[in-house]
Amino acid sequence: DQQVKQNSPSLSVQEGRISILNCDYTNSMFDYFLWYKKYPAEGPTFLISISSIKDKNEDGRFTVFLNKSAKHLSLHIVPSQPGDSAVYFCAASVGDNQGGKLIFGQGTELSVKP
Amino acid sequence: EPEVTQTPSHQVTQMGQEVILRCVPISNHLYFYWYRQILGQKVEFLVSFYNNEISEKSEIFDDQFSVERPDGSNFTLKIRSTKLEDSAMYFCASSENRPNFGPGTRLTVT
């Protein structure tokens, strides 16, 4: 089941620069997308989401871009900070996730170097 | 900020034994979930629960699994007869508009 794919298992970025994490999906029925951040030995923590009726959503240093025609979304973190070092998961669902399941990507481990 | 809590943090059990994983969802949330992550693999959906019944379940959630909301606060996942391949992190989540995950229970089946 590869409906949601994060093709980069890891990413290393210098502090202060931009981090760009990518995610692709295959199911055109997905209409709600989320990014979660996960530290070791903790559960995923919600970061930001986007509905398919939008192409951009911004929250502080985090911006998610959605390209529906390419079935691609990306998370931009600007400026990156060492505390951002974690595994980032992209997830998708059908509907606004009131009770629906999330399909997760494999995760990208971000390392932000001071 | 309210959080989802899970107990125990780590459970070791022998193959064939029953285990119950416990979760306390965020109090005003109406949707509850269990997910799991086998080491090195994706986070996978197991089951969602709403209005005291299962609303959706995955192929993984077979007859060995069951969920219950025994009182107004707890939400449990029971595995009747554990197998080695059930070893994983199990995450509970609750949702008002998007799932909030608990810290997980690491289940080790020996």
Side-chain angles (χ1 to χ4, degrees):
Chain A
D1 180 355
Q2 292 287 310
Q3 295 188 73
V4 178
K5 284 192 238 186
Q6 294 174 257
N7 290 317
S8 298
S10 63
L11 175 68
S12 183
V13 168
Q14 206 66 33
E15 180 178 7
R17 308 294 282 265
I18 184 171
S19 296
I20 301 177
L21 298 107
N22 293 302
C23 178
D24 297 294
Y25 62 96
T26 56
N27 188 343
S28 56
M29 297 296 291
F30 288 145
D31 55 7
Y32 188 62
F33 304 90
L34 307 90
W35 284 93
Y36 282 84
K37 173 179 174 180
K38 186 181 180 303
Y39 294 115
E42 294 185 13
T45 302
F46 172 76
L47 265 180
I48 192 168
S49 63
I50 188 166
S51 163
S52 60
I53 61 172
K54 295 186 171 183
D55 54 19
K56 178 181 173 181
N57 189 26
E58 194 171 348
D59 183 2
R61 296 186 298 114
F62 303 92
T63 303
V64 56
F65 295 92
L66 175 63
N67 182 334
K68 281 181 64 181
S69 61
K71 293 192 179 70
H72 177 83
L73 65 155
S74 60
L75 174 68
H76 292 211
I77 307 173
V78 182
S80 303
Q81 299 172 353
D84 295 329
S85 298
V87 178
Y88 288 77
F89 290 98
C90 166
S93 73
V94 177
D96 62 1
N97 205 252
Q98 288 295 343
K101 66 183 180 188
L102 291 178
I103 305 296
F104 281 86
Q106 304 94 314
T108 296
E109 183 169 10
L110 173 66
S111 174
V112 180
K113 301 195 181 308
Chain B
E1 187 174 325
E3 292 179 338
V4 175
T5 59
Q6 291 185 243
T7 54
S9 56
H10 190 190
Q11 173 92 47
V12 181
T13 190
Q14 288 193 321
M15 196 167 54
Q17 295 296 303
E18 175 183 286
V19 292
I20 298 176
L21 309 183
R22 293 183 164 80
C23 169
V24 179
I26 295 172
S27 61
N28 61 333
H29 287 182
L30 300 178
Y31 297 88
F32 313 113
Y33 314 83
W34 285 99
Y35 286 78
R36 79 173 185 190
Q37 186 180 27
I38 294 170
L39 187 64
Q41 298 187 22
K42 291 185 179 189
V43 177
E44 302 174 287
F45 169 81
L46 292 178
V47 65
S48 58
F49 191 86
Y50 171 72
N51 201 24
N52 282 321
E53 60 183 28
I54 290 172
S55 50
E56 189 171 359
K57 60 183 181 179
S58 71
E59 308 82 40
I60 304 166
F61 195 88
D62 62 21
D63 292 344
Q64 292 300 310
F65 291 87
S66 62
V67 289
E68 197 176 38
R69 189 154 161 80
D71 52 41
S73 59
N74 290 285
F75 179 51
T76 61
L77 174 70
K78 183 194 291 187
I79 309 175
R80 271 182 256 286
S81 176
T82 49
K83 307 186 194 86
L84 293 176
E85 54 265 35
D86 294 327
S87 295
M89 282 292 290
Y90 287 81
F91 296 106
C92 173
S94 68
S95 170
E96 187 176 34
N97 51 18
R98 42 84 178 147
N100 296 266
F101 286 82
T105 293
R106 178 171 298 284
L107 177 64
T108 302
V109 182
T110 61

